Amino acid sequence: MKKNLVHVIYPADKVVSFVHYSDDTVENILESIFGMFNHGSNSESELFLKSNYRSLSVNDIVGINDKYYLCESFGWKEVTAEFVNDLEEEVENNSNMVHSPWHALQDVMWNRRDSLMETV
């Protein structure tokens, strides 16, 4: 089995790193990790169950072997390390951080989508 270094990234909040052994495709590994980090999936990992992490959701990131994937409403989008670093910085500096990193993340991503829509 191939040794895959995984980072579940909750932007400006936590990073959970572990080794995941699998010879599967990246797409299947991402779906497996999504289940491992979601309450009610019936495939939650011990690491997740013993923590107080929220479920992995839209706009969170999973890194697998130095490649990064943004969780979307349906599926995943590969992003760069620069994207991840910029997102972390934007979320950390967002005014909604007073409520929670999740609120700040949603605000940042909403603003990014609004900006994209204005240029179209």
Side-chain angles (χ1 to χ4, degrees):
M1 288 244 156
K2 182 180 175 191
K3 183 178 176 179
N4 299 286
L5 182 56
V6 175
H7 305 288
V8 176
I9 303 169
Y10 298 95
D13 192 8
K14 341 179 150 47
V15 176
V16 183
S17 300
F18 59 96
V19 174
H20 180 75
Y21 293 93
S22 175
D23 290 326
D24 221 337
T25 65
V26 169
E27 292 79 15
N28 288 341
I29 292 171
L30 286 165
E31 291 308 313
S32 174
I33 292 167
F34 187 81
M36 291 168 59
F37 282 80
N38 266 280
H39 292 288
S41 69
N42 294 323
S43 57
E44 298 95 330
S45 69
E46 279 291 311
L47 177 62
F48 180 71
L49 290 172
K50 290 182 178 181
S51 74
N52 64 347
Y53 306 140
R54 64 173 171 76
S55 289
L56 182 65
S57 63
V58 172
N59 298 323
D60 290 327
I61 297 168
V62 173
I64 302 174
N65 301 328
D66 295 324
K67 291 194 176 193
Y68 300 92
Y69 304 89
L70 177 70
C71 183
E72 296 192 308
S73 296
F74 295 98
W76 301 84
K77 175 184 174 184
E78 188 171 348
V79 295
T80 64
E82 181 180 19
F83 175 94
V84 176
N85 291 333
D86 290 347
L87 181 61
E88 289 269 0
E89 186 175 328
E90 279 185 66
V91 173
E92 285 175 7
N93 294 318
N94 185 276
S95 61
N96 278 317
M97 274 296 283
V98 298
H99 302 292
S100 74
W102 183 84
H103 283 94
L105 174 62
Q106 300 316 306
D107 191 45
V108 166
M109 294 307 281
W110 186 262
N111 290 336
R112 283 182 172 199
R113 286 190 175 96
D114 281 352
S115 295
L116 286 174
M117 295 305 279
E118 290 172 6
T119 60
V120 173

